[in-house]
Amino acid sequence: MLKDVPSFDKLVHELGKLPGIGHKTAQRLAYYVLRSPSEYSSELSEALHSVKASVKECPTCFSYTENEDQCKLCASDSRDDSVLCVVEEPADISRIESSGAFNGRYHVLHGALSPLDGITPSDIRIQPLMDKIQKGINSQGPVIEEVILALDADLEGDTTVLYLAKILSEKGIKSSRIAHGVPIGGDIDYIDNRTLERALENRVQL
Amino acid sequence: MLKDVPSFDKLVHELGKLPGIGHKTAQRLAYYVLRSPSEYSSELSEALHSVKASVKECPTCFSYTENEDQCKLCASDSRDDSVLCVVEEPADISRIESSGAFNGRYHVLHGALSPLDGITPSDIRIQPLMDKIQKGINSQGPVIEEVILALDADLEGDTTVLYLAKILSEKGIKSSRIAHGVPIGGDIDYIDNRTLERALENRVQL
């Protein structure tokens, strides 16, 4: 901690707003910035500006992109228009893409329903999802036949899955949720009760 | 991780240079910046610029300051000019100040000797320390009678203490090192061997 150096305190304060960065860590980071050549703080500063200036939401899937119109995945011709994978956050798409196990289209909700936090269906991208289901991914293409809900396995994710599954079944659209269970390589001894409960419930017939 | 968003990757890269921030954490931070209102990235950016623009080294003690000339501690009239406390980093000064146990002057080395990393006496502020010992903190004031070495209790700190103690004794200046031992409130059961060894060696006669 440095005394009587207000600009240092200000930097500590701003860094401390980042998630998972407490006061002590923020001090350590600010101290590093102070000791580094000024190129570093300029580059970090520039990167902060540029990410806010050039990154925007894809109008189709609501993921992040720097493209003028659609993101690369939405613009691609080789994806299956009849399967839509719904995720909570843009970062989830890259996770699923890197598994190579999905070749359909994506839709980012930007959150999940949380009555406790006051997050209702109108706060997340549920209406655009419904429009997409109505019209298809693009007007010439096939209709959406299946919606895969790849939402988090927490209370908010569960709430959103229940909500969407109900609407989708009313519209006669097949919906599914990604499986939850023991991770590959996971030791049953170390798995929590709720995961094990889910793994037993959703056991796969051999 | 977001694909095909170079400005995001760039921000992750820059944040990943901070100490203790790995790739995963850097992604989480960058993601937070992306989701925050642009005021946040502007303020962080501004704080980064301002810390580099307004913070400089005090010409007397080499701590950081935003003052035009000396830092507040060096400019103060109420400190004892005959005792000098040598520390490795500016942050150490605030630590010692907040203990309230010292009322002399400070000198920041900006590092410690480390032959393994190629850090020699000319790489840290040892020459200005010698000048200060020669001339006194200010030309009208008393000479420095005692130098307290408040350096870290690691290999580099030990090396620097040995080096400085030798020079100081040749110049006939009293030098001392802050005590290392069991911390107050510390349970002897949990103290490492080297600390316990030092605590026994430096036992205080009652």
Side-chain angles (χ1 to χ4, degrees), chain A residues 1 4 6-7 10 14 31-34 36 40-41 43 45 50 52 54-55 66 72 89-90 94, chain B residues 1 4 6-7 10 14 19 31 33-34 36 40-41 43 45 50 52 54-55 64 66 72 89-90 94:
Chain A
M1 183 44 192
D4 312 312
S7 66
K10 167 80 177 150
E14 292 300 331
Y31 199 55
Y32 173 84
V33 169
L34 204 48
S36 312
Y40 177 66
S41 72
E43 287 201 20
S45 214
S50 129
K52 295 301 282 190
S54 50
V55 177
E66 288 187 22
K72 211 176 145 188
E89 302 294 347
S94 305
Chain B
M1 183 46 193
D4 314 311
S7 66
K10 169 80 177 149
E14 293 300 331
Y31 199 56
V33 169
L34 203 49
S36 311
Y40 178 65
S41 72
E43 286 202 19
S45 213
S50 131
K52 294 304 280 189
S54 50
V55 177
Y64 293 125
E66 289 185 24
K72 210 176 145 188
E89 302 294 346
S94 305

mmCIF file of all heavy atoms in Angstrom, chain A residues 1 4 6-7 10 14 31-34 36 40-41 43 45 50 52 54-55 66 72 89-90 94, chain B residues 1 4 6-7 10 14 19 31 33-34 36 40-41 43 45 50 52 54-55 64 66 72 89-90 94:
data_model
loop_
_atom_site.group_PDB
_atom_site.id
_atom_site.type_symbol
_atom_site.label_atom_id
_atom_site.label_comp_id
_atom_site.label_asym_id
_atom_site.label_seq_id
_atom_site.Cartn_x
_atom_site.Cartn_y
_atom_site.Cartn_z
ATOM 1 N N MET A 1 0.847 -1.202 0.000
ATOM 2 C CA MET A 1 0.000 0.000 0.000
ATOM 3 C C MET A 1 0.876 1.243 0.000
ATOM 4 O O MET A 1 1.836 1.346 0.759
ATOM 5 C CB MET A 1 -0.863 -0.080 1.266
ATOM 6 C CG MET A 1 -1.863 1.031 1.444
ATOM 7 S SD MET A 1 -2.771 1.465 -0.029
ATOM 8 C CE MET A 1 -3.495 2.971 0.514
ATOM 9 N N ASP A 4 -0.461 8.565 0.315
ATOM 10 C CA ASP A 4 -0.420 9.882 -0.320
ATOM 11 C C ASP A 4 -0.146 9.806 -1.807
ATOM 12 O O ASP A 4 0.526 10.670 -2.360
ATOM 13 C CB ASP A 4 0.668 10.768 0.334
ATOM 14 C CG ASP A 4 0.554 10.706 1.832
ATOM 15 O OD1 ASP A 4 -0.559 10.864 2.329
ATOM 16 O OD2 ASP A 4 1.591 10.487 2.493
ATOM 17 N N PRO A 6 -2.699 9.449 -4.580
ATOM 18 C CA PRO A 6 -4.106 9.240 -4.944
ATOM 19 C C PRO A 6 -4.322 8.491 -6.255
ATOM 20 O O PRO A 6 -5.260 7.706 -6.359
ATOM 21 C CB PRO A 6 -4.686 10.656 -5.007
ATOM 22 C CG PRO A 6 -3.547 11.586 -4.850
ATOM 23 C CD PRO A 6 -2.416 10.850 -4.278
ATOM 24 N N SER A 7 -3.451 8.701 -7.258
ATOM 25 C CA SER A 7 -3.692 8.022 -8.535
ATOM 26 C C SER A 7 -3.472 6.517 -8.377
ATOM 27 O O SER A 7 -4.096 5.710 -9.061
ATOM 28 C CB SER A 7 -2.804 8.593 -9.636
ATOM 29 O OG SER A 7 -1.458 8.309 -9.366
ATOM 30 N N LYS A 10 -6.607 5.197 -6.744
ATOM 31 C CA LYS A 10 -7.685 5.172 -7.730
ATOM 32 C C LYS A 10 -7.559 3.904 -8.599
ATOM 33 O O LYS A 10 -8.550 3.217 -8.864
ATOM 34 C CB LYS A 10 -7.587 6.434 -8.594
ATOM 35 C CG LYS A 10 -8.419 6.452 -9.846
ATOM 36 C CD LYS A 10 -9.868 6.807 -9.574
ATOM 37 C CE LYS A 10 -10.659 6.877 -10.878
ATOM 38 N NZ LYS A 10 -12.051 6.526 -10.690
ATOM 39 N N GLU A 14 -10.213 0.833 -8.990
ATOM 40 C CA GLU A 14 -10.788 0.364 -10.258
ATOM 41 C C GLU A 14 -10.490 -1.117 -10.492
ATOM 42 O O GLU A 14 -11.358 -1.872 -10.923
ATOM 43 C CB GLU A 14 -10.250 1.191 -11.444
ATOM 44 C CG GLU A 14 -10.723 2.645 -11.460
ATOM 45 C CD GLU A 14 -12.241 2.788 -11.543
ATOM 46 O OE1 GLU A 14 -12.888 1.899 -12.121
ATOM 47 O OE2 GLU A 14 -12.771 3.779 -11.003
ATOM 48 N N TYR A 31 0.628 -2.170 -8.353
ATOM 49 C CA TYR A 31 2.047 -2.024 -8.089
ATOM 50 C C TYR A 31 2.859 -2.535 -9.277
ATOM 51 O O TYR A 31 3.866 -1.935 -9.677
ATOM 52 C CB TYR A 31 2.365 -2.826 -6.832
ATOM 53 C CG TYR A 31 3.646 -2.420 -6.193
ATOM 54 C CD1 TYR A 31 3.868 -1.102 -5.833
ATOM 55 C CD2 TYR A 31 4.632 -3.357 -5.954
ATOM 56 C CE1 TYR A 31 5.052 -0.724 -5.267
ATOM 57 C CE2 TYR A 31 5.820 -2.993 -5.384
ATOM 58 C CZ TYR A 31 6.036 -1.672 -5.042
ATOM 59 O OH TYR A 31 7.213 -1.308 -4.492
ATOM 60 N N TYR A 32 2.378 -3.622 -9.873
ATOM 61 C CA TYR A 32 3.028 -4.173 -11.063
ATOM 62 C C TYR A 32 2.960 -3.166 -12.215
ATOM 63 O O TYR A 32 3.944 -2.944 -12.914
ATOM 64 C CB TYR A 32 2.356 -5.491 -11.454
ATOM 65 C CG TYR A 32 2.852 -6.061 -12.763
ATOM 66 C CD1 TYR A 32 4.008 -6.838 -12.804
ATOM 67 C CD2 TYR A 32 2.185 -5.809 -13.952
ATOM 68 C CE1 TYR A 32 4.479 -7.348 -14.006
ATOM 69 C CE2 TYR A 32 2.645 -6.313 -15.159
ATOM 70 C CZ TYR A 32 3.797 -7.082 -15.173
ATOM 71 O OH TYR A 32 4.255 -7.580 -16.363
ATOM 72 N N VAL A 33 1.780 -2.548 -12.385
ATOM 73 C CA VAL A 33 1.600 -1.556 -13.457
ATOM 74 C C VAL A 33 2.586 -0.400 -13.250
ATOM 75 O O VAL A 33 3.235 0.048 -14.186
ATOM 76 C CB VAL A 33 0.145 -1.025 -13.475
ATOM 77 C CG1 VAL A 33 0.011 0.181 -14.394
ATOM 78 C CG2 VAL A 33 -0.816 -2.122 -13.897
ATOM 79 N N LEU A 34 2.714 0.022 -12.009
ATOM 80 C CA LEU A 34 3.599 1.145 -11.678
ATOM 81 C C LEU A 34 5.060 0.827 -12.016
ATOM 82 O O LEU A 34 5.801 1.694 -12.482
ATOM 83 C CB LEU A 34 3.461 1.430 -10.177
ATOM 84 C CG LEU A 34 3.797 2.815 -9.672
ATOM 85 C CD1 LEU A 34 3.130 3.870 -10.506
ATOM 86 C CD2 LEU A 34 3.378 2.956 -8.224
ATOM 87 N N SER A 36 6.060 -1.468 -14.245
ATOM 88 C CA SER A 36 6.280 -1.859 -15.644
ATOM 89 C C SER A 36 6.574 -0.637 -16.492
ATOM 90 O O SER A 36 6.186 0.467 -16.141
ATOM 91 C CB SER A 36 5.035 -2.520 -16.213
ATOM 92 O OG SER A 36 4.560 -3.483 -15.341
ATOM 93 N N TYR A 40 3.336 -0.937 -21.197
ATOM 94 C CA TYR A 40 2.359 -1.917 -20.733
ATOM 95 C C TYR A 40 1.029 -1.269 -20.396
ATOM 96 O O TYR A 40 -0.017 -1.717 -20.862
ATOM 97 C CB TYR A 40 2.872 -2.735 -19.542
ATOM 98 C CG TYR A 40 1.804 -3.683 -19.063
ATOM 99 C CD1 TYR A 40 1.377 -4.722 -19.872
ATOM 100 C CD2 TYR A 40 1.155 -3.493 -17.846
ATOM 101 C CE1 TYR A 40 0.357 -5.571 -19.488
ATOM 102 C CE2 TYR A 40 0.130 -4.330 -17.456
ATOM 103 C CZ TYR A 40 -0.258 -5.367 -18.274
ATOM 104 O OH TYR A 40 -1.283 -6.204 -17.901
ATOM 105 N N SER A 41 1.075 -0.180 -19.611
ATOM 106 C CA SER A 41 -0.206 0.432 -19.238
ATOM 107 C C SER A 41 -0.896 1.015 -20.463
ATOM 108 O O SER A 41 -2.118 0.995 -20.561
ATOM 109 C CB SER A 41 -0.028 1.464 -18.131
ATOM 110 O OG SER A 41 0.587 2.598 -18.630
ATOM 111 N N GLU A 43 -0.733 -0.260 -23.535
ATOM 112 C CA GLU A 43 -1.316 -1.364 -24.311
ATOM 113 C C GLU A 43 -2.561 -1.927 -23.652
ATOM 114 O O GLU A 43 -3.534 -2.261 -24.318
ATOM 115 C CB GLU A 43 -0.281 -2.483 -24.518
ATOM 116 C CG GLU A 43 0.775 -2.063 -25.524
ATOM 117 C CD GLU A 43 1.485 -3.257 -26.132
ATOM 118 O OE1 GLU A 43 0.940 -4.378 -26.071
ATOM 119 O OE2 GLU A 43 2.587 -3.059 -26.654
ATOM 120 N N SER A 45 -4.544 -0.302 -21.641
ATOM 121 C CA SER A 45 -5.520 0.757 -21.797
ATOM 122 C C SER A 45 -6.158 0.709 -23.186
ATOM 123 O O SER A 45 -7.374 0.775 -23.346
ATOM 124 C CB SER A 45 -4.716 2.031 -21.662
ATOM 125 O OG SER A 45 -5.366 3.017 -21.097
ATOM 126 N N SER A 50 -10.405 -0.777 -27.059
ATOM 127 C CA SER A 50 -10.702 -1.413 -28.335
ATOM 128 C C SER A 50 -11.740 -2.519 -28.179
ATOM 129 O O SER A 50 -12.581 -2.720 -29.055
ATOM 130 C CB SER A 50 -9.390 -1.887 -28.959
ATOM 131 O OG SER A 50 -9.452 -3.204 -29.342
ATOM 132 N N LYS A 52 -14.214 -2.537 -26.121
ATOM 133 C CA LYS A 52 -15.541 -1.925 -26.015
ATOM 134 C C LYS A 52 -15.960 -1.286 -27.339
ATOM 135 O O LYS A 52 -17.138 -1.226 -27.658
ATOM 136 C CB LYS A 52 -15.563 -0.851 -24.915
ATOM 137 C CG LYS A 52 -15.354 -1.380 -23.532
ATOM 138 C CD LYS A 52 -16.391 -2.400 -23.122
ATOM 139 C CE LYS A 52 -17.703 -1.795 -22.716
ATOM 140 N NZ LYS A 52 -18.600 -2.818 -22.111
ATOM 141 N N SER A 54 -14.915 -2.217 -30.546
ATOM 142 C CA SER A 54 -15.086 -3.045 -31.743
ATOM 143 C C SER A 54 -15.946 -4.289 -31.540
ATOM 144 O O SER A 54 -16.429 -4.861 -32.511
ATOM 145 C CB SER A 54 -13.719 -3.434 -32.311
ATOM 146 O OG SER A 54 -12.905 -3.956 -31.309
ATOM 147 N N VAL A 55 -16.138 -4.720 -30.302
ATOM 148 C CA VAL A 55 -16.935 -5.931 -30.104
ATOM 149 C C VAL A 55 -18.412 -5.573 -29.975
ATOM 150 O O VAL A 55 -18.773 -4.679 -29.231
ATOM 151 C CB VAL A 55 -16.465 -6.692 -28.846
ATOM 152 C CG1 VAL A 55 -17.339 -7.915 -28.609
ATOM 153 C CG2 VAL A 55 -15.019 -7.113 -28.990
ATOM 154 N N GLU A 66 -16.768 -9.197 -34.044
ATOM 155 C CA GLU A 66 -16.220 -7.921 -34.521
ATOM 156 C C GLU A 66 -16.617 -7.716 -35.978
ATOM 157 O O GLU A 66 -16.248 -6.710 -36.578
ATOM 158 C CB GLU A 66 -14.701 -7.912 -34.400
ATOM 159 C CG GLU A 66 -14.246 -7.816 -32.963
ATOM 160 C CD GLU A 66 -12.753 -7.636 -32.839
ATOM 161 O OE1 GLU A 66 -12.099 -7.183 -33.781
ATOM 162 O OE2 GLU A 66 -12.235 -7.980 -31.764
ATOM 163 N N LYS A 72 -19.140 -15.284 -37.386
ATOM 164 C CA LYS A 72 -18.642 -16.314 -38.312
ATOM 165 C C LYS A 72 -19.534 -17.555 -38.313
ATOM 166 O O LYS A 72 -19.823 -18.125 -39.373
ATOM 167 C CB LYS A 72 -17.231 -16.689 -37.875
ATOM 168 C CG LYS A 72 -16.322 -17.117 -39.020
ATOM 169 C CD LYS A 72 -14.919 -17.377 -38.491
ATOM 170 C CE LYS A 72 -14.254 -18.510 -39.224
ATOM 171 N NZ LYS A 72 -12.972 -18.891 -38.594
ATOM 172 N N GLU A 89 -24.240 -17.771 -22.071
ATOM 173 C CA GLU A 89 -23.251 -16.733 -22.340
ATOM 174 C C GLU A 89 -22.462 -17.027 -23.615
ATOM 175 O O GLU A 89 -22.279 -18.188 -23.968
ATOM 176 C CB GLU A 89 -22.247 -16.658 -21.174
ATOM 177 C CG GLU A 89 -22.864 -16.374 -19.824
ATOM 178 C CD GLU A 89 -23.484 -14.995 -19.701
ATOM 179 O OE1 GLU A 89 -23.231 -14.153 -20.581
ATOM 180 O OE2 GLU A 89 -24.241 -14.774 -18.742
ATOM 181 N N PRO A 90 -21.955 -15.971 -24.297
ATOM 182 C CA PRO A 90 -21.175 -16.187 -25.513
ATOM 183 C C PRO A 90 -19.995 -17.149 -25.316
ATOM 184 O O PRO A 90 -19.676 -17.938 -26.201
ATOM 185 C CB PRO A 90 -20.680 -14.790 -25.875
ATOM 186 C CG PRO A 90 -21.688 -13.875 -25.300
ATOM 187 C CD PRO A 90 -22.144 -14.537 -24.030
ATOM 188 N N SER A 94 -17.902 -21.143 -27.511
ATOM 189 C CA SER A 94 -16.552 -21.596 -27.826
ATOM 190 C C SER A 94 -16.241 -22.909 -27.136
ATOM 191 O O SER A 94 -15.558 -23.773 -27.688
ATOM 192 C CB SER A 94 -15.522 -20.560 -27.388
ATOM 193 O OG SER A 94 -15.818 -19.329 -27.950
ATOM 194 N N MET B 1 -13.914 -18.408 -23.421
ATOM 195 C CA MET B 1 -13.088 -18.037 -24.569
ATOM 196 C C MET B 1 -13.986 -17.697 -25.761
ATOM 197 O O MET B 1 -14.920 -18.422 -26.052
ATOM 198 C CB MET B 1 -12.168 -19.231 -24.867
ATOM 199 C CG MET B 1 -11.180 -19.048 -25.982
ATOM 200 S SD MET B 1 -10.299 -17.472 -25.928
ATOM 201 C CE MET B 1 -9.592 -17.514 -27.563
ATOM 202 N N ASP B 4 -12.714 -15.765 -32.821
ATOM 203 C CA ASP B 4 -12.795 -14.754 -33.875
ATOM 204 C C ASP B 4 -13.102 -13.367 -33.341
ATOM 205 O O ASP B 4 -13.786 -12.598 -33.995
ATOM 206 C CB ASP B 4 -13.873 -15.127 -34.907
ATOM 207 C CG ASP B 4 -13.763 -16.578 -35.299
ATOM 208 O OD1 ASP B 4 -12.643 -16.992 -35.606
ATOM 209 O OD2 ASP B 4 -14.783 -17.280 -35.264
ATOM 210 N N PRO B 6 -10.633 -10.778 -32.165
ATOM 211 C CA PRO B 6 -9.237 -10.461 -31.863
ATOM 212 C C PRO B 6 -9.047 -9.439 -30.759
ATOM 213 O O PRO B 6 -8.106 -9.563 -29.974
ATOM 214 C CB PRO B 6 -8.670 -9.964 -33.193
ATOM 215 C CG PRO B 6 -9.804 -9.881 -34.148
ATOM 216 C CD PRO B 6 -10.942 -10.659 -33.597
ATOM 217 N N SER B 7 -9.937 -8.450 -30.649
ATOM 218 C CA SER B 7 -9.718 -7.433 -29.614
ATOM 219 C C SER B 7 -9.929 -8.038 -28.228
ATOM 220 O O SER B 7 -9.313 -7.619 -27.253
ATOM 221 C CB SER B 7 -10.620 -6.224 -29.834
ATOM 222 O OG SER B 7 -11.963 -6.577 -29.653
ATOM 223 N N LYS B 10 -6.775 -9.970 -27.481
ATOM 224 C CA LYS B 10 -5.714 -9.018 -27.150
ATOM 225 C C LYS B 10 -5.838 -8.577 -25.686
ATOM 226 O O LYS B 10 -4.851 -8.519 -24.959
ATOM 227 C CB LYS B 10 -5.835 -7.808 -28.103
ATOM 228 C CG LYS B 10 -5.000 -6.597 -27.752
ATOM 229 C CD LYS B 10 -3.566 -6.743 -28.169
ATOM 230 C CE LYS B 10 -2.783 -5.462 -27.865
ATOM 231 N NZ LYS B 10 -1.376 -5.747 -27.558
ATOM 232 N N GLU B 14 -3.181 -9.108 -22.657
ATOM 233 C CA GLU B 14 -2.610 -8.042 -21.831
ATOM 234 C C GLU B 14 -2.895 -8.265 -20.341
ATOM 235 O O GLU B 14 -2.016 -8.082 -19.505
ATOM 236 C CB GLU B 14 -3.153 -6.664 -22.255
ATOM 237 C CG GLU B 14 -2.705 -6.210 -23.645
ATOM 238 C CD GLU B 14 -1.194 -6.084 -23.775
ATOM 239 O OE1 GLU B 14 -0.533 -5.805 -22.765
ATOM 240 O OE2 GLU B 14 -0.673 -6.294 -24.886
ATOM 241 N N PRO B 19 0.717 -10.072 -12.681
ATOM 242 C CA PRO B 19 1.211 -11.172 -11.834
ATOM 243 C C PRO B 19 0.063 -11.936 -11.180
ATOM 244 O O PRO B 19 -0.880 -11.336 -10.670
ATOM 245 C CB PRO B 19 2.040 -10.440 -10.772
ATOM 246 C CG PRO B 19 1.510 -9.053 -10.741
ATOM 247 C CD PRO B 19 1.035 -8.742 -12.123
ATOM 248 N N TYR B 31 -13.994 -10.765 -19.943
ATOM 249 C CA TYR B 31 -15.405 -11.000 -20.149
ATOM 250 C C TYR B 31 -16.226 -10.028 -19.298
ATOM 251 O O TYR B 31 -17.233 -9.488 -19.735
ATOM 252 C CB TYR B 31 -15.693 -12.442 -19.756
ATOM 253 C CG TYR B 31 -16.975 -12.949 -20.326
ATOM 254 C CD1 TYR B 31 -17.203 -12.903 -21.701
ATOM 255 C CD2 TYR B 31 -17.949 -13.474 -19.502
ATOM 256 C CE1 TYR B 31 -18.386 -13.353 -22.219
ATOM 257 C CE2 TYR B 31 -19.131 -13.932 -20.018
ATOM 258 C CZ TYR B 31 -19.354 -13.859 -21.378
ATOM 259 O OH TYR B 31 -20.533 -14.297 -21.885
ATOM 260 N N VAL B 33 -15.184 -7.061 -18.351
ATOM 261 C CA VAL B 33 -15.031 -5.742 -18.968
ATOM 262 C C VAL B 33 -16.019 -5.598 -20.125
ATOM 263 O O VAL B 33 -16.687 -4.571 -20.270
ATOM 264 C CB VAL B 33 -13.582 -5.539 -19.474
ATOM 265 C CG1 VAL B 33 -13.471 -4.299 -20.342
ATOM 266 C CG2 VAL B 33 -12.618 -5.459 -18.298
ATOM 267 N N LEU B 34 -16.134 -6.656 -20.922
ATOM 268 C CA LEU B 34 -17.021 -6.646 -22.082
ATOM 269 C C LEU B 34 -18.474 -6.437 -21.678
ATOM 270 O O LEU B 34 -19.238 -5.756 -22.366
ATOM 271 C CB LEU B 34 -16.858 -7.989 -22.805
ATOM 272 C CG LEU B 34 -17.216 -8.058 -24.277
ATOM 273 C CD1 LEU B 34 -16.561 -6.920 -25.034
ATOM 274 C CD2 LEU B 34 -16.787 -9.393 -24.853
ATOM 275 N N SER B 36 -19.500 -5.022 -18.817
ATOM 276 C CA SER B 36 -19.725 -3.813 -18.016
ATOM 277 C C SER B 36 -20.043 -2.637 -18.922
ATOM 278 O O SER B 36 -19.679 -2.637 -20.084
ATOM 279 C CB SER B 36 -18.472 -3.453 -17.219
ATOM 280 O OG SER B 36 -17.992 -4.573 -16.553
ATOM 281 N N TYR B 40 -16.839 1.791 -17.193
ATOM 282 C CA TYR B 40 -15.843 1.067 -16.407
ATOM 283 C C TYR B 40 -14.518 0.976 -17.133
ATOM 284 O O TYR B 40 -13.465 1.280 -16.564
ATOM 285 C CB TYR B 40 -16.332 -0.326 -15.990
ATOM 286 C CG TYR B 40 -15.248 -1.046 -15.235
ATOM 287 C CD1 TYR B 40 -14.819 -0.573 -14.014
ATOM 288 C CD2 TYR B 40 -14.594 -2.141 -15.781
ATOM 289 C CE1 TYR B 40 -13.787 -1.170 -13.332
ATOM 290 C CE2 TYR B 40 -13.556 -2.750 -15.106
ATOM 291 C CZ TYR B 40 -13.156 -2.258 -13.878
ATOM 292 O OH TYR B 40 -12.110 -2.839 -13.221
ATOM 293 N N SER B 41 -14.561 0.570 -18.419
ATOM 294 C CA SER B 41 -13.293 0.413 -19.129
ATOM 295 C C SER B 41 -12.622 1.771 -19.316
ATOM 296 O O SER B 41 -11.392 1.868 -19.278
ATOM 297 C CB SER B 41 -13.473 -0.332 -20.446
ATOM 298 O OG SER B 41 -14.111 0.481 -21.380
ATOM 299 N N GLU B 43 -12.800 4.300 -17.171
ATOM 300 C CA GLU B 43 -12.216 4.721 -15.887
ATOM 301 C C GLU B 43 -10.964 3.926 -15.557
ATOM 302 O O GLU B 43 -9.987 4.470 -15.050
ATOM 303 C CB GLU B 43 -13.242 4.564 -14.761
ATOM 304 C CG GLU B 43 -14.298 5.633 -14.840
ATOM 305 C CD GLU B 43 -14.993 5.847 -13.511
ATOM 306 O OE1 GLU B 43 -14.447 5.442 -12.464
ATOM 307 O OE2 GLU B 43 -16.091 6.429 -13.521
ATOM 308 N N SER B 45 -8.970 2.532 -17.721
ATOM 309 C CA SER B 45 -8.010 3.018 -18.695
ATOM 310 C C SER B 45 -7.383 4.328 -18.237
ATOM 311 O O SER B 45 -6.162 4.511 -18.272
ATOM 312 C CB SER B 45 -8.836 3.260 -19.945
ATOM 313 O OG SER B 45 -8.186 3.031 -21.069
ATOM 314 N N SER B 50 -3.144 7.609 -15.689
ATOM 315 C CA SER B 50 -2.836 8.620 -14.704
ATOM 316 C C SER B 50 -1.776 8.152 -13.712
ATOM 317 O O SER B 50 -0.928 8.929 -13.279
ATOM 318 C CB SER B 50 -4.136 9.066 -14.039
ATOM 319 O OG SER B 50 -4.039 9.068 -12.666
ATOM 320 N N LYS B 52 0.703 6.214 -14.355
ATOM 321 C CA LYS B 52 2.019 6.314 -14.996
ATOM 322 C C LYS B 52 2.419 7.775 -15.201
ATOM 323 O O LYS B 52 3.599 8.114 -15.168
ATOM 324 C CB LYS B 52 2.024 5.597 -16.352
ATOM 325 C CG LYS B 52 1.856 4.093 -16.269
ATOM 326 C CD LYS B 52 2.893 3.413 -15.404
ATOM 327 C CE LYS B 52 4.211 3.202 -16.109
ATOM 328 N NZ LYS B 52 5.119 2.350 -15.298
ATOM 329 N N SER B 54 1.390 10.522 -13.335
ATOM 330 C CA SER B 54 1.590 11.411 -12.189
ATOM 331 C C SER B 54 2.476 10.846 -11.090
ATOM 332 O O SER B 54 2.978 11.600 -10.271
ATOM 333 C CB SER B 54 0.232 11.832 -11.609
ATOM 334 O OG SER B 54 -0.573 10.716 -11.405
ATOM 335 N N VAL B 55 2.686 9.511 -11.076
ATOM 336 C CA VAL B 55 3.515 8.967 -9.998
ATOM 337 C C VAL B 55 4.977 8.942 -10.438
ATOM 338 O O VAL B 55 5.299 8.506 -11.531
ATOM 339 C CB VAL B 55 3.047 7.543 -9.629
ATOM 340 C CG1 VAL B 55 3.947 6.951 -8.568
ATOM 341 C CG2 VAL B 55 1.611 7.571 -9.129
ATOM 342 N N TYR B 64 7.605 6.135 -4.090
ATOM 343 C CA TYR B 64 6.759 6.780 -5.082
ATOM 344 C C TYR B 64 6.043 7.975 -4.471
ATOM 345 O O TYR B 64 5.683 7.951 -3.302
ATOM 346 C CB TYR B 64 5.711 5.804 -5.609
ATOM 347 C CG TYR B 64 6.293 4.689 -6.412
ATOM 348 C CD1 TYR B 64 6.040 3.359 -6.084
ATOM 349 C CD2 TYR B 64 7.111 4.949 -7.513
ATOM 350 C CE1 TYR B 64 6.579 2.323 -6.831
ATOM 351 C CE2 TYR B 64 7.653 3.917 -8.264
ATOM 352 C CZ TYR B 64 7.382 2.610 -7.922
ATOM 353 O OH TYR B 64 7.913 1.590 -8.659
ATOM 354 N N GLU B 66 3.473 11.719 -5.712
ATOM 355 C CA GLU B 66 2.909 12.564 -6.764
ATOM 356 C C GLU B 66 3.316 14.009 -6.539
ATOM 357 O O GLU B 66 2.929 14.888 -7.300
ATOM 358 C CB GLU B 66 1.373 12.458 -6.766
ATOM 359 C CG GLU B 66 0.901 11.129 -7.270
ATOM 360 C CD GLU B 66 -0.610 11.052 -7.396
ATOM 361 O OE1 GLU B 66 -1.267 12.097 -7.537
ATOM 362 O OE2 GLU B 66 -1.125 9.933 -7.369
ATOM 363 N N LYS B 72 6.103 13.109 1.008
ATOM 364 C CA LYS B 72 5.643 13.682 2.271
ATOM 365 C C LYS B 72 6.574 13.330 3.439
ATOM 366 O O LYS B 72 6.875 14.177 4.276
ATOM 367 C CB LYS B 72 4.240 13.145 2.557
ATOM 368 C CG LYS B 72 3.354 14.089 3.339
ATOM 369 C CD LYS B 72 1.959 13.516 3.483
ATOM 370 C CE LYS B 72 1.350 13.865 4.818
ATOM 371 N NZ LYS B 72 0.085 13.175 5.078
ATOM 372 N N GLU B 89 11.132 -2.266 -1.329
ATOM 373 C CA GLU B 89 10.113 -1.696 -2.215
ATOM 374 C C GLU B 89 9.349 -0.563 -1.523
ATOM 375 O O GLU B 89 9.206 -0.575 -0.307
ATOM 376 C CB GLU B 89 9.088 -2.774 -2.601
ATOM 377 C CG GLU B 89 9.665 -4.004 -3.280
ATOM 378 C CD GLU B 89 10.248 -3.698 -4.650
ATOM 379 O OE1 GLU B 89 9.975 -2.602 -5.176
ATOM 380 O OE2 GLU B 89 10.984 -4.541 -5.179
ATOM 381 N N PRO B 90 8.809 0.407 -2.302
ATOM 382 C CA PRO B 90 8.054 1.506 -1.708
ATOM 383 C C PRO B 90 6.909 1.032 -0.809
ATOM 384 O O PRO B 90 6.633 1.638 0.226
ATOM 385 C CB PRO B 90 7.507 2.267 -2.920
ATOM 386 C CG PRO B 90 8.470 1.993 -4.008
ATOM 387 C CD PRO B 90 8.946 0.587 -3.769
ATOM 388 N N SER B 94 4.976 1.938 3.717
ATOM 389 C CA SER B 94 3.639 2.106 4.293
ATOM 390 C C SER B 94 3.377 1.060 5.364
ATOM 391 O O SER B 94 2.727 1.331 6.372
ATOM 392 C CB SER B 94 2.577 1.986 3.210
ATOM 393 O OG SER B 94 2.839 2.898 2.195
#
